[in-house]
Amino acid sequence: MQPKSNIVHLPVYQPGKPIEEVKRELGLTEVIKLASNENPFGCSEHAKQAIVAELDNTSLYPDGGAVALTQTLAEHLGVNSDQLIFGAGSDEVILMIARAFLVKGDETVMADETFPQYKHNAEIEHATIVEVPLKDGKHDLPAMLAKVNERTKIVWICNPNNPTGTIVTREELDEFLSKVPPHVLVILDEAYCEYINDPSYPDGVDYVKQYKNVIALRTFSKIYGLASLRIGYGIGHPEIIRYVNQVREPFNTTRYAQAAARASIQDMAFITSCRERNEEGLQYLKEQFGRLGLSYFKPYGNFVMVDVKQPSQAVFDGLLRRGIIARARWTYYPTHIRITVGSREQNEKFIQALEQVLRELAV
Ligand SMILES: *Cc1c(COP(=O)(O)O)cnc(C)c1O
């Protein structure tokens, strides 16, 4: 038996190590996972109640069209219902976009390093991947524009970029979009947008209204704290969203996810509080990195990529032995680790552990 030739070389996704596994392997009782940019403050209490309220409907298929959630979110964002599509995480929306638009021979442009799912799904569709190195940890939009030609189908912009945390500004994006030809679909992945207060950060919804060829992607996995439920969405022009809907599986988001997402949108106090606590956490980490003489990419989301000036694998291992799970091993950033902003206590434990590890490695 032979699978599609273009998937033979694909790796199986390597997630951040699960907490239970690390505890078992290293004989630790307390482990802090700062590897997957999850919300350290959990999720809204309203969301939990909404999940419980759905329990009795467990035997019934969900509403495939997510009508109630669509309505609530459309109002919240100020867009029309036919401009939204939901997926099992925005990961699935990425998959559906690739499935709907890419065929063998199409070109698709993305940054290197960036979120791996763009490349992964484009490879499954046998598209030609065109990667453009980051410049100082930022998307190099002029260089990406220069790679666009008549075969280009999709350009992926991760804003803020995962793993570096940097943003493209409104001005940079305006310049880029004014020059991208209309046959090219531009994906703005805004998984962390709710964390950002900076006036130079472009709001994808504004761009969707202005450009038919733009889709913004968002998720309930990050600031909303619903990662386990798997729900995210795309915002775009009705015609483009319709194409993506045509490849969607009938019941791709669950009742619990839809209900919890809906309740979360109606509990903005929780989101505001998470944004503020994240801001404090970022402030603390930046101060501490400064004290330790470590440079970092200017962070905008709920994670920081910091140059630990040692092989990242060694620092990762040292942190792991102290019960902290980080992320490391990027091709172009051999001495950087990516760390999620945790609770105050978690951040302090991380800095303490990092300081010990770096001291150990220095001798
Ligand atoms: C976390 C993340 C996503 C997707 O998360 P889902 O859980 O699938 O919604 C998408 N893009 C980026 C950049 C992310 O960091």
Side-chain angles (χ1 to χ4, degrees):
M1 240 184 299
Q2 278 297 317
K4 290 156 76 167
S5 63
N6 47 311
I7 73 157
V8 172
H9 72 287
L10 287 185
V12 173
Y13 179 74
Q14 295 297 323
K17 268 182 179 279
I19 290 177
E20 291 312 316
E21 188 181 322
V22 173
K23 279 185 182 168
R24 209 172 337 108
E25 281 178 6
L26 296 171
L28 296 167
T29 49
E30 197 198 331
V31 169
I32 301 170
K33 186 177 170 210
L34 299 174
S36 302
N37 303 341
E38 292 148 329
N39 189 337
F41 309 111
C43 70
S44 159
E45 286 304 318
H46 299 220
K48 293 179 198 171
Q49 287 160 16
I51 294 165
V52 172
E54 277 299 328
L55 285 180
D56 283 342
N57 294 324
T58 297
S59 58
L60 303 176
Y61 279 112
D63 170 8
V67 173
L69 172 59
T70 301
Q71 191 97 44
T72 305
L73 184 60
E75 255 167 55
H76 175 71
L77 297 172
V79 299
N80 293 324
S81 294
D82 58 2
Q83 293 188 269
L84 295 176
I85 179 158
F86 291 90
S90 49
D91 276 354
E92 196 200 12
V93 187
I94 295 168
L95 176 153
M96 292 189 285
I97 291 169
R99 190 160 187 191
F101 286 93
L102 296 176
V103 295
K104 185 173 178 176
D106 286 344
E107 294 187 9
T108 181
V109 179
M110 62 195 73
D112 186 14
E113 294 275 343
T114 190
F115 192 59
Q117 293 313 103
Y118 318 140
K119 182 174 180 176
H120 179 79
N121 284 291
E123 286 189 322
I124 293 171
E125 304 304 334
H126 224 153
T128 301
I129 315 296
V130 180
E131 293 178 288
V132 178
L134 296 172
K135 197 170 161 187
D136 304 323
K138 286 185 60 167
H139 278 68
D140 186 348
L141 291 185
M144 291 174 79
L145 184 67
K147 295 289 185 190
V148 169
N149 60 40
E150 63 286 351
R151 286 182 305 277
T152 308
K153 271 283 187 62
I154 303 179
V155 177
W156 307 86
I157 300 174
C158 190
N159 202 31
N161 188 45
N162 186 355
T164 52
T166 56
I167 62 164
V168 307
T169 63
R170 196 175 276 279
E171 210 175 323
E172 289 161 345
L173 188 62
D174 284 339
E175 172 79 11
F176 177 78
L177 286 175
S178 70
K179 292 182 177 158
V180 169
H183 73 272
V184 177
L185 187 57
V186 177
I187 309 298
L188 302 175
D189 185 345
E190 304 181 324
Y192 303 93
C193 64
E194 300 88 354
Y195 281 110
I196 304 176
N197 246 335
D198 191 304
S200 71
Y201 178 70
D203 179 345
V205 173
D206 295 340
Y207 288 85
V208 164
K209 288 176 179 168
Q210 200 180 338
Y211 293 95
K212 184 176 171 184
N213 60 328
V214 170
I215 298 181
L217 300 181
R218 296 185 177 175
T219 179
F220 287 96
S221 298
K222 302 290 161 55
I223 204 168
Y224 288 97
L226 302 179
S228 69
L229 290 179
R230 312 305 303 125
I231 186 156
Y233 58 99
I235 319 161
H237 187 279
E239 193 181 315
I240 308 296
I241 291 300
R242 190 187 143 81
Y243 294 137
V244 185
N245 241 324
Q246 285 171 318
V247 304
R248 184 176 61 76
E249 297 291 332
F251 303 109
N252 65 326
T253 60
T254 67
R255 279 183 180 278
Y256 311 121
Q258 292 176 20
R262 189 151 177 257
S264 300
I265 297 166
Q266 290 159 339
D267 183 12
M268 276 300 134
F270 175 75
I271 301 305
T272 304
S273 134
C274 289
R275 183 190 305 118
E276 287 169 1
R277 284 188 279 182
N278 183 69
E279 192 52 49
E280 287 166 20
L282 279 176
Q283 212 46 49
Y284 169 78
L285 290 176
K286 290 196 279 189
E287 278 164 26
Q288 295 299 313
F289 292 149
R291 178 177 67 80
L292 298 171
L294 305 177
S295 60
Y296 50 84
F297 292 115
K298 188 175 178 187
Y300 288 84
N302 68 340
F303 59 95
V304 192
M305 198 170 184
V306 56
D307 185 355
V308 288
K309 300 194 286 192
Q310 296 285 343
S312 68
Q313 179 73 57
V315 176
F316 174 91
D317 291 341
L319 287 171
L320 197 61
R321 280 194 297 274
R322 289 168 174 81
I324 310 268
I325 315 175
R327 271 275 169 141
R329 293 176 298 247
W330 283 279
T331 315
Y332 293 124
Y333 301 103
T335 63
H336 285 70
I337 62 167
R338 191 196 71 193
I339 196 82
T340 304
V341 179
S343 65
R344 189 190 182 116
E345 189 196 348
Q346 290 174 334
N347 296 334
E348 285 170 359
K349 285 189 172 157
F350 159 66
I351 288 295
Q352 219 170 48
L354 179 65
E355 214 171 340
Q356 289 171 6
V357 170
L358 293 180
R359 210 177 300 132
E360 216 173 71
L361 289 171
V363 294

